[in-house]
mmCIF file of all heavy atoms in Angstrom:
data_model
loop_
_atom_site.group_PDB
_atom_site.id
_atom_site.type_symbol
_atom_site.label_atom_id
_atom_site.label_comp_id
_atom_site.label_asym_id
_atom_site.label_seq_id
_atom_site.Cartn_x
_atom_site.Cartn_y
_atom_site.Cartn_z
ATOM 1 N N GLU A 1 248.235 62.912 181.011
ATOM 2 C CA GLU A 1 247.533 64.028 180.360
ATOM 3 C C GLU A 1 246.480 64.579 181.305
ATOM 4 O O GLU A 1 245.959 63.866 182.150
ATOM 5 C CB GLU A 1 246.840 63.518 179.089
ATOM 6 C CG GLU A 1 247.669 63.761 177.843
ATOM 7 C CD GLU A 1 246.852 63.464 176.600
ATOM 8 O OE1 GLU A 1 245.697 63.922 176.518
ATOM 9 O OE2 GLU A 1 247.373 62.758 175.735
ATOM 10 N N ARG A 2 246.114 65.847 181.132
ATOM 11 C CA ARG A 2 245.116 66.507 181.982
ATOM 12 C C ARG A 2 245.412 66.240 183.455
ATOM 13 O O ARG A 2 244.605 65.713 184.208
ATOM 14 C CB ARG A 2 243.688 66.044 181.629
ATOM 15 C CG ARG A 2 243.268 66.398 180.223
ATOM 16 C CD ARG A 2 241.786 66.293 180.019
ATOM 17 N NE ARG A 2 241.190 65.210 180.770
ATOM 18 C CZ ARG A 2 241.128 63.947 180.356
ATOM 19 N NH1 ARG A 2 241.641 63.633 179.179
ATOM 20 N NH2 ARG A 2 240.569 63.041 181.096
ATOM 21 N N VAL A 3 246.619 66.601 183.812
ATOM 22 C CA VAL A 3 247.174 66.228 185.106
ATOM 23 C C VAL A 3 246.380 66.816 186.275
ATOM 24 O O VAL A 3 246.351 66.256 187.359
ATOM 25 C CB VAL A 3 248.670 66.647 185.105
ATOM 26 C CG1 VAL A 3 248.825 68.130 185.203
ATOM 27 C CG2 VAL A 3 249.435 65.944 186.167
ATOM 28 N N MET A 4 245.660 67.935 186.045
ATOM 29 C CA MET A 4 244.909 68.550 187.143
ATOM 30 C C MET A 4 243.597 67.823 187.437
ATOM 31 O O MET A 4 243.010 67.987 188.486
ATOM 32 C CB MET A 4 244.595 70.014 186.822
ATOM 33 C CG MET A 4 245.812 70.889 186.684
ATOM 34 S SD MET A 4 246.605 71.219 188.247
ATOM 35 C CE MET A 4 245.510 72.434 188.937
ATOM 36 N N ASP A 5 243.097 67.033 186.456
ATOM 37 C CA ASP A 5 241.861 66.274 186.711
ATOM 38 C C ASP A 5 242.245 65.008 187.460
ATOM 39 O O ASP A 5 242.516 63.972 186.874
ATOM 40 C CB ASP A 5 241.158 65.935 185.385
ATOM 41 C CG ASP A 5 240.369 67.110 184.840
ATOM 42 O OD1 ASP A 5 240.157 68.066 185.602
ATOM 43 O OD2 ASP A 5 239.984 67.073 183.675
ATOM 44 N N SER A 6 242.241 65.102 188.784
ATOM 45 C CA SER A 6 242.882 64.053 189.558
ATOM 46 C C SER A 6 241.930 62.980 190.060
ATOM 47 O O SER A 6 242.362 61.915 190.435
ATOM 48 C CB SER A 6 243.624 64.675 190.741
ATOM 49 O OG SER A 6 242.769 65.581 191.407
ATOM 50 N N ASN A 7 240.603 63.246 190.087
ATOM 51 C CA ASN A 7 239.786 62.148 190.595
ATOM 52 C C ASN A 7 239.262 61.285 189.449
ATOM 53 O O ASN A 7 239.254 61.672 188.290
ATOM 54 C CB ASN A 7 238.703 62.645 191.574
ATOM 55 C CG ASN A 7 237.489 63.257 190.912
ATOM 56 O OD1 ASN A 7 237.069 62.812 189.852
ATOM 57 N ND2 ASN A 7 236.924 64.287 191.534
ATOM 58 N N ASP A 8 238.834 60.061 189.792
ATOM 59 C CA ASP A 8 238.560 59.047 188.765
ATOM 60 C C ASP A 8 237.458 59.478 187.799
ATOM 61 O O ASP A 8 237.559 59.269 186.592
ATOM 62 C CB ASP A 8 238.158 57.720 189.431
ATOM 63 C CG ASP A 8 239.328 57.118 190.202
ATOM 64 O OD1 ASP A 8 240.468 57.523 189.904
ATOM 65 O OD2 ASP A 8 239.110 56.267 191.079
ATOM 66 N N LEU A 9 236.403 60.091 188.356
ATOM 67 C CA LEU A 9 235.287 60.498 187.503
ATOM 68 C C LEU A 9 235.729 61.565 186.498
ATOM 69 O O LEU A 9 235.350 61.536 185.325
ATOM 70 C CB LEU A 9 234.153 61.040 188.373
ATOM 71 C CG LEU A 9 232.837 61.338 187.653
ATOM 72 C CD1 LEU A 9 232.268 60.045 187.069
ATOM 73 C CD2 LEU A 9 231.835 61.966 188.594
ATOM 74 N N GLU A 10 236.591 62.490 186.958
ATOM 75 C CA GLU A 10 237.085 63.542 186.052
ATOM 76 C C GLU A 10 237.911 62.925 184.933
ATOM 77 O O GLU A 10 237.780 63.298 183.765
ATOM 78 C CB GLU A 10 237.953 64.542 186.839
ATOM 79 C CG GLU A 10 237.157 65.400 187.790
ATOM 80 C CD GLU A 10 238.037 66.330 188.597
ATOM 81 O OE1 GLU A 10 239.082 65.888 189.103
ATOM 82 O OE2 GLU A 10 237.686 67.501 188.710
ATOM 83 N N ARG A 11 238.754 61.960 185.287
ATOM 84 C CA ARG A 11 239.629 61.374 184.268
ATOM 85 C C ARG A 11 238.805 60.562 183.272
ATOM 86 O O ARG A 11 239.067 60.563 182.069
ATOM 87 C CB ARG A 11 240.695 60.495 184.921
ATOM 88 C CG ARG A 11 241.627 61.272 185.828
ATOM 89 C CD ARG A 11 242.949 60.564 186.012
ATOM 90 N NE ARG A 11 243.730 60.596 184.783
ATOM 91 C CZ ARG A 11 244.425 61.642 184.370
ATOM 92 N NH1 ARG A 11 244.464 62.735 185.081
ATOM 93 N NH2 ARG A 11 245.088 61.598 183.245
ATOM 94 N N GLU A 12 237.794 59.872 183.781
ATOM 95 C CA GLU A 12 236.970 59.030 182.912
ATOM 96 C C GLU A 12 236.159 59.882 181.936
ATOM 97 O O GLU A 12 236.055 59.582 180.757
ATOM 98 C CB GLU A 12 236.029 58.210 183.804
ATOM 99 C CG GLU A 12 235.030 57.369 183.034
ATOM 100 C CD GLU A 12 233.954 56.818 183.961
ATOM 101 O OE1 GLU A 12 234.225 56.606 185.160
ATOM 102 O OE2 GLU A 12 232.835 56.626 183.476
ATOM 103 N N ARG A 13 235.611 60.987 182.421
ATOM 104 C CA ARG A 13 234.717 61.791 181.584
ATOM 105 C C ARG A 13 235.441 62.908 180.852
ATOM 106 O O ARG A 13 234.859 63.557 179.988
ATOM 107 C CB ARG A 13 233.633 62.419 182.454
ATOM 108 C CG ARG A 13 232.841 61.367 183.199
ATOM 109 C CD ARG A 13 231.385 61.691 183.193
ATOM 110 N NE ARG A 13 230.632 60.551 183.670
ATOM 111 C CZ ARG A 13 229.411 60.632 184.113
ATOM 112 N NH1 ARG A 13 228.817 61.803 184.125
ATOM 113 N NH2 ARG A 13 228.763 59.579 184.506
ATOM 114 N N GLY A 14 236.671 63.201 181.255
ATOM 115 C CA GLY A 14 237.402 64.274 180.583
ATOM 116 C C GLY A 14 236.886 65.648 180.920
ATOM 117 O O GLY A 14 237.029 66.588 180.151
ATOM 118 N N ILE A 15 236.237 65.776 182.107
ATOM 119 C CA ILE A 15 235.756 67.097 182.519
ATOM 120 C C ILE A 15 236.293 67.408 183.908
ATOM 121 O O ILE A 15 236.678 66.513 184.645
ATOM 122 C CB ILE A 15 234.208 67.187 182.546
ATOM 123 C CG1 ILE A 15 233.628 66.143 183.519
ATOM 124 C CG2 ILE A 15 233.627 67.031 181.157
ATOM 125 C CD1 ILE A 15 232.156 66.332 183.796
ATOM 126 N N THR A 16 236.324 68.684 184.220
ATOM 127 C CA THR A 16 236.758 69.120 185.543
ATOM 128 C C THR A 16 235.518 69.332 186.404
ATOM 129 O O THR A 16 234.578 70.003 185.984
ATOM 130 C CB THR A 16 237.543 70.437 185.420
ATOM 131 O OG1 THR A 16 238.647 70.209 184.533
ATOM 132 C CG2 THR A 16 238.073 70.893 186.772
ATOM 133 N N ILE A 17 235.521 68.754 187.597
ATOM 134 C CA ILE A 17 234.386 68.892 188.515
ATOM 135 C C ILE A 17 234.784 69.765 189.698
ATOM 136 O O ILE A 17 234.026 70.611 190.154
ATOM 137 C CB ILE A 17 233.909 67.507 188.996
ATOM 138 C CG1 ILE A 17 233.388 66.694 187.806
ATOM 139 C CG2 ILE A 17 232.823 67.644 190.069
ATOM 140 C CD1 ILE A 17 233.107 65.242 188.114
ATOM 141 N N LEU A 18 236.002 69.557 190.199
ATOM 142 C CA LEU A 18 236.455 70.297 191.381
ATOM 143 C C LEU A 18 237.489 71.337 190.971
ATOM 144 O O LEU A 18 238.408 71.036 190.212
ATOM 145 C CB LEU A 18 237.090 69.321 192.389
ATOM 146 C CG LEU A 18 236.160 68.190 192.850
ATOM 147 C CD1 LEU A 18 236.936 67.159 193.650
ATOM 148 C CD2 LEU A 18 235.028 68.750 193.679
ATOM 149 N N ALA A 19 237.330 72.550 191.477
ATOM 150 C CA ALA A 19 238.335 73.583 191.210
ATOM 151 C C ALA A 19 239.622 73.215 191.931
ATOM 152 O O ALA A 19 239.596 72.766 193.069
ATOM 153 C CB ALA A 19 237.822 74.937 191.698
ATOM 154 N N LYS A 20 240.761 73.393 191.271
ATOM 155 C CA LYS A 20 242.037 73.033 191.889
ATOM 156 C C LYS A 20 243.045 74.151 191.663
ATOM 157 O O LYS A 20 243.025 74.799 190.621
ATOM 158 C CB LYS A 20 242.582 71.746 191.272
ATOM 159 C CG LYS A 20 241.659 70.565 191.477
ATOM 160 C CD LYS A 20 242.172 69.363 190.722
ATOM 161 C CE LYS A 20 241.075 68.361 190.525
ATOM 162 N NZ LYS A 20 240.028 68.842 189.633
ATOM 163 N N ALA A 21 243.923 74.307 192.647
ATOM 164 C CA ALA A 21 244.921 75.372 192.550
ATOM 165 C C ALA A 21 246.283 74.763 192.241
ATOM 166 O O ALA A 21 246.621 73.680 192.702
ATOM 167 C CB ALA A 21 244.987 76.132 193.869
ATOM 168 N N THR A 22 247.057 75.494 191.461
ATOM 169 C CA THR A 22 248.457 75.152 191.264
ATOM 170 C C THR A 22 249.213 76.465 191.083
ATOM 171 O O THR A 22 248.621 77.540 191.099
ATOM 172 C CB THR A 22 248.655 74.217 190.056
ATOM 173 O OG1 THR A 22 250.031 73.856 189.970
ATOM 174 C CG2 THR A 22 248.241 74.870 188.750
ATOM 175 N N GLY A 23 250.501 76.369 190.939
ATOM 176 C CA GLY A 23 251.291 77.579 190.734
ATOM 177 C C GLY A 23 252.437 77.283 189.787
ATOM 178 O O GLY A 23 252.989 76.184 189.786
ATOM 179 N N VAL A 24 252.770 78.256 188.946
ATOM 180 C CA VAL A 24 253.934 78.134 188.064
ATOM 181 C C VAL A 24 254.785 79.380 188.241
ATOM 182 O O VAL A 24 254.308 80.413 188.704
ATOM 183 C CB VAL A 24 253.522 77.978 186.581
ATOM 184 C CG1 VAL A 24 252.680 76.744 186.375
ATOM 185 C CG2 VAL A 24 252.794 79.208 186.067
ATOM 186 N N ARG A 25 256.042 79.247 187.878
ATOM 187 C CA ARG A 25 256.930 80.415 187.922
ATOM 188 C C ARG A 25 257.334 80.789 186.509
ATOM 189 O O ARG A 25 257.712 79.944 185.712
ATOM 190 C CB ARG A 25 258.174 80.111 188.759
ATOM 191 C CG ARG A 25 257.828 80.022 190.228
ATOM 192 C CD ARG A 25 259.027 80.019 191.153
ATOM 193 N NE ARG A 25 258.564 79.842 192.526
ATOM 194 C CZ ARG A 25 258.159 80.827 193.306
ATOM 195 N NH1 ARG A 25 258.189 82.068 192.878
ATOM 196 N NH2 ARG A 25 257.732 80.585 194.530
ATOM 197 N N TYR A 26 257.237 82.081 186.226
ATOM 198 C CA TYR A 26 257.638 82.588 184.924
ATOM 199 C C TYR A 26 258.493 83.816 185.188
ATOM 200 O O TYR A 26 258.014 84.808 185.754
ATOM 201 C CB TYR A 26 256.395 82.942 184.098
ATOM 202 C CG TYR A 26 256.711 83.471 182.717
ATOM 203 C CD1 TYR A 26 257.179 82.613 181.717
ATOM 204 C CD2 TYR A 26 256.559 84.820 182.406
ATOM 205 C CE1 TYR A 26 257.466 83.086 180.457
ATOM 206 C CE2 TYR A 26 256.842 85.305 181.141
ATOM 207 C CZ TYR A 26 257.302 84.437 180.167
ATOM 208 O OH TYR A 26 257.603 84.903 178.909
ATOM 209 N N HIS A 27 259.768 83.740 184.806
ATOM 210 C CA HIS A 27 260.716 84.834 185.081
ATOM 211 C C HIS A 27 260.682 85.230 186.558
ATOM 212 O O HIS A 27 260.563 86.419 186.893
ATOM 213 C CB HIS A 27 260.414 86.057 184.219
ATOM 214 C CG HIS A 27 260.633 85.825 182.754
ATOM 215 N ND1 HIS A 27 261.491 84.861 182.276
ATOM 216 C CD2 HIS A 27 260.096 86.425 181.662
ATOM 217 C CE1 HIS A 27 261.483 84.879 180.956
ATOM 218 N NE2 HIS A 27 260.639 85.813 180.550
ATOM 219 N N ASP A 28 260.734 84.252 187.441
ATOM 220 C CA ASP A 28 260.788 84.497 188.893
ATOM 221 C C ASP A 28 259.510 85.117 189.464
ATOM 222 O O ASP A 28 259.508 85.571 190.599
ATOM 223 C CB ASP A 28 261.986 85.390 189.279
ATOM 224 C CG ASP A 28 263.304 84.690 189.023
ATOM 225 O OD1 ASP A 28 263.308 83.452 189.112
ATOM 226 O OD2 ASP A 28 264.292 85.366 188.727
ATOM 227 N N ILE A 29 258.452 85.182 188.670
ATOM 228 C CA ILE A 29 257.171 85.646 189.206
ATOM 229 C C ILE A 29 256.279 84.424 189.362
ATOM 230 O O ILE A 29 256.151 83.625 188.432
ATOM 231 C CB ILE A 29 256.505 86.666 188.254
ATOM 232 C CG1 ILE A 29 257.370 87.922 188.174
ATOM 233 C CG2 ILE A 29 255.094 87.014 188.727
ATOM 234 C CD1 ILE A 29 256.914 88.922 187.157
ATOM 235 N N LYS A 30 255.700 84.283 190.548
ATOM 236 C CA LYS A 30 254.807 83.145 190.741
ATOM 237 C C LYS A 30 253.410 83.510 190.256
ATOM 238 O O LYS A 30 252.856 84.535 190.631
ATOM 239 C CB LYS A 30 254.743 82.726 192.208
ATOM 240 C CG LYS A 30 253.880 81.484 192.382
ATOM 241 C CD LYS A 30 253.965 80.852 193.739
ATOM 242 C CE LYS A 30 253.128 79.586 193.746
ATOM 243 N NZ LYS A 30 252.937 79.031 195.080
ATOM 244 N N ILE A 31 252.861 82.652 189.392
ATOM 245 C CA ILE A 31 251.498 82.828 188.886
ATOM 246 C C ILE A 31 250.661 81.700 189.485
ATOM 247 O O ILE A 31 250.927 80.527 189.224
ATOM 248 C CB ILE A 31 251.454 82.746 187.348
ATOM 249 C CG1 ILE A 31 252.354 83.811 186.710
ATOM 250 C CG2 ILE A 31 250.023 82.870 186.843
ATOM 251 C CD1 ILE A 31 252.516 83.666 185.207
ATOM 252 N N ASN A 32 249.674 82.062 190.313
ATOM 253 C CA ASN A 32 248.739 81.057 190.811
ATOM 254 C C ASN A 32 247.671 80.804 189.759
ATOM 255 O O ASN A 32 247.151 81.746 189.159
ATOM 256 C CB ASN A 32 248.067 81.533 192.106
ATOM 257 C CG ASN A 32 249.000 81.432 193.292
ATOM 258 O OD1 ASN A 32 249.695 80.437 193.467
ATOM 259 N ND2 ASN A 32 249.017 82.469 194.112
ATOM 260 N N ILE A 33 247.358 79.527 189.534
ATOM 261 C CA ILE A 33 246.344 79.150 188.549
ATOM 262 C C ILE A 33 245.290 78.329 189.275
ATOM 263 O O ILE A 33 245.619 77.375 189.973
ATOM 264 C CB ILE A 33 246.955 78.286 187.423
ATOM 265 C CG1 ILE A 33 248.109 79.013 186.729
ATOM 266 C CG2 ILE A 33 245.887 77.897 186.410
ATOM 267 C CD1 ILE A 33 248.907 78.123 185.789
ATOM 268 N N VAL A 34 244.024 78.704 189.094
ATOM 269 C CA VAL A 34 242.931 77.889 189.621
ATOM 270 C C VAL A 34 242.166 77.355 188.416
ATOM 271 O O VAL A 34 241.613 78.119 187.634
ATOM 272 C CB VAL A 34 241.997 78.705 190.533
ATOM 273 C CG1 VAL A 34 240.939 77.802 191.142
ATOM 274 C CG2 VAL A 34 242.794 79.396 191.627
ATOM 275 N N ASP A 35 242.194 76.034 188.245
ATOM 276 C CA ASP A 35 241.506 75.390 187.123
ATOM 277 C C ASP A 35 240.088 75.075 187.584
ATOM 278 O O ASP A 35 239.898 74.325 188.537
ATOM 279 C CB ASP A 35 242.257 74.109 186.746
ATOM 280 C CG ASP A 35 241.698 73.455 185.486
ATOM 281 O OD1 ASP A 35 240.914 74.120 184.787
ATOM 282 O OD2 ASP A 35 242.031 72.289 185.216
ATOM 283 N N THR A 36 239.094 75.672 186.932
ATOM 284 C CA THR A 36 237.707 75.501 187.396
ATOM 285 C C THR A 36 236.918 74.651 186.419
ATOM 286 O O THR A 36 237.304 74.500 185.261
ATOM 287 C CB THR A 36 236.966 76.856 187.475
ATOM 288 O OG1 THR A 36 236.683 77.285 186.137
ATOM 289 C CG2 THR A 36 237.775 77.894 188.193
ATOM 290 N N PRO A 37 235.777 74.140 186.859
ATOM 291 C CA PRO A 37 234.855 73.517 185.899
ATOM 292 C C PRO A 37 234.294 74.589 184.970
ATOM 293 O O PRO A 37 234.259 75.765 185.312
ATOM 294 C CB PRO A 37 233.728 72.955 186.786
ATOM 295 C CG PRO A 37 234.219 73.055 188.185
ATOM 296 C CD PRO A 37 235.258 74.131 188.231
ATOM 297 N N GLY A 38 233.831 74.160 183.791
ATOM 298 C CA GLY A 38 233.181 75.105 182.892
ATOM 299 C C GLY A 38 231.686 74.904 182.854
ATOM 300 O O GLY A 38 231.006 75.500 182.034
ATOM 301 N N HIS A 39 231.166 74.038 183.723
ATOM 302 C CA HIS A 39 229.747 73.663 183.646
ATOM 303 C C HIS A 39 228.970 74.353 184.756
ATOM 304 O O HIS A 39 229.394 74.364 185.901
ATOM 305 C CB HIS A 39 229.592 72.143 183.803
ATOM 306 C CG HIS A 39 230.366 71.374 182.781
ATOM 307 N ND1 HIS A 39 229.791 70.895 181.630
ATOM 308 C CD2 HIS A 39 231.674 71.035 182.715
ATOM 309 C CE1 HIS A 39 230.717 70.278 180.913
ATOM 310 N NE2 HIS A 39 231.863 70.354 181.546
ATOM 311 N N SER A 40 227.797 74.877 184.412
ATOM 312 C CA SER A 40 227.012 75.566 185.439
ATOM 313 C C SER A 40 226.501 74.577 186.491
ATOM 314 O O SER A 40 226.149 74.970 187.596
ATOM 315 C CB SER A 40 225.849 76.329 184.820
ATOM 316 O OG SER A 40 225.069 75.464 184.035
ATOM 317 N N ASP A 41 226.489 73.266 186.173
ATOM 318 C CA ASP A 41 226.103 72.266 187.183
ATOM 319 C C ASP A 41 227.031 72.341 188.394
ATOM 320 O O ASP A 41 226.639 72.007 189.506
ATOM 321 C CB ASP A 41 226.223 70.830 186.634
ATOM 322 C CG ASP A 41 225.521 70.657 185.315
ATOM 323 O OD1 ASP A 41 224.922 71.636 184.855
ATOM 324 O OD2 ASP A 41 225.576 69.558 184.763
ATOM 325 N N PHE A 42 228.275 72.718 188.155
ATOM 326 C CA PHE A 42 229.243 72.804 189.250
ATOM 327 C C PHE A 42 229.516 74.270 189.572
ATOM 328 O O PHE A 42 230.630 74.670 189.862
ATOM 329 C CB PHE A 42 230.540 72.077 188.868
ATOM 330 C CG PHE A 42 230.306 70.683 188.359
ATOM 331 C CD1 PHE A 42 230.687 70.327 187.074
ATOM 332 C CD2 PHE A 42 229.683 69.736 189.159
ATOM 333 C CE1 PHE A 42 230.443 69.043 186.593
ATOM 334 C CE2 PHE A 42 229.440 68.455 188.688
ATOM 335 C CZ PHE A 42 229.821 68.108 187.406
ATOM 336 N N GLY A 43 228.446 75.059 189.503
ATOM 337 C CA GLY A 43 228.589 76.509 189.621
ATOM 338 C C GLY A 43 229.172 76.955 190.941
ATOM 339 O O GLY A 43 229.884 77.950 191.012
ATOM 340 N N GLY A 44 228.877 76.215 192.029
ATOM 341 C CA GLY A 44 229.440 76.586 193.328
ATOM 342 C C GLY A 44 230.952 76.572 193.294
ATOM 343 O O GLY A 44 231.623 77.447 193.855
ATOM 344 N N GLU A 45 231.518 75.573 192.594
ATOM 345 C CA GLU A 45 232.980 75.500 192.445
ATOM 346 C C GLU A 45 233.494 76.717 191.692
ATOM 347 O O GLU A 45 234.533 77.280 192.022
ATOM 348 C CB GLU A 45 233.373 74.221 191.687
ATOM 349 C CG GLU A 45 233.168 72.938 192.453
ATOM 350 C CD GLU A 45 234.181 72.761 193.576
ATOM 351 O OE1 GLU A 45 235.316 73.264 193.462
ATOM 352 O OE2 GLU A 45 233.828 72.130 194.573
ATOM 353 N N VAL A 46 232.777 77.116 190.648
ATOM 354 C CA VAL A 46 233.209 78.261 189.842
ATOM 355 C C VAL A 46 233.201 79.531 190.693
ATOM 356 O O VAL A 46 234.175 80.293 190.716
ATOM 357 C CB VAL A 46 232.285 78.438 188.613
ATOM 358 C CG1 VAL A 46 232.655 79.709 187.854
ATOM 359 C CG2 VAL A 46 232.379 77.224 187.700
ATOM 360 N N GLU A 47 232.106 79.752 191.426
ATOM 361 C CA GLU A 47 231.989 80.992 192.200
ATOM 362 C C GLU A 47 233.037 81.063 193.299
ATOM 363 O O GLU A 47 233.586 82.122 193.580
ATOM 364 C CB GLU A 47 230.582 81.102 192.793
ATOM 365 C CG GLU A 47 229.534 81.339 191.717
ATOM 366 C CD GLU A 47 228.187 81.687 192.302
ATOM 367 O OE1 GLU A 47 228.068 82.780 192.874
ATOM 368 O OE2 GLU A 47 227.273 80.866 192.189
ATOM 369 N N ARG A 48 233.322 79.929 193.927
ATOM 370 C CA ARG A 48 234.348 79.931 194.981
ATOM 371 C C ARG A 48 235.720 80.213 194.382
ATOM 372 O O ARG A 48 236.516 80.960 194.944
ATOM 373 C CB ARG A 48 234.351 78.594 195.713
ATOM 374 C CG ARG A 48 233.062 78.329 196.450
ATOM 375 C CD ARG A 48 233.279 77.398 197.597
ATOM 376 N NE ARG A 48 233.721 76.076 197.194
ATOM 377 C CZ ARG A 48 232.904 75.041 197.024
ATOM 378 N NH1 ARG A 48 231.613 75.185 197.207
ATOM 379 N NH2 ARG A 48 233.377 73.868 196.679
#
């Protein structure tokens, strides 16, 4: 579950700390997804 939260602290706390990129295909169109933290403490990750 929560496969994008890959580091131990993220999995333990159930929060995202590092922004991560992935991609999915829908009808042959590639959609890039960047999963970001929602906390202003990690605001640098959000802005990047």
Side-chain angles (χ1 to χ4, degrees):
E1 263 190 47
R2 297 196 325 275
V3 73
M4 297 288 284
D5 280 346
S6 49
N7 79 36
D8 293 341
L9 188 63
E10 290 177 315
R11 297 203 70 79
E12 175 192 331
R13 302 222 169 161
I15 59 169
T16 303
I17 296 170
L18 302 171
K20 299 174 199 67
T22 184
V24 300
R25 289 192 184 275
Y26 180 73
H27 294 336
D28 294 330
I29 295 173
K30 184 169 183 191
I31 301 172
N32 284 316
I33 303 170
V34 184
D35 186 13
T36 73
H39 303 263
S40 55
D41 309 358
F42 309 119
E45 290 288 331
V46 174
E47 291 190 69
R48 296 205 296 264

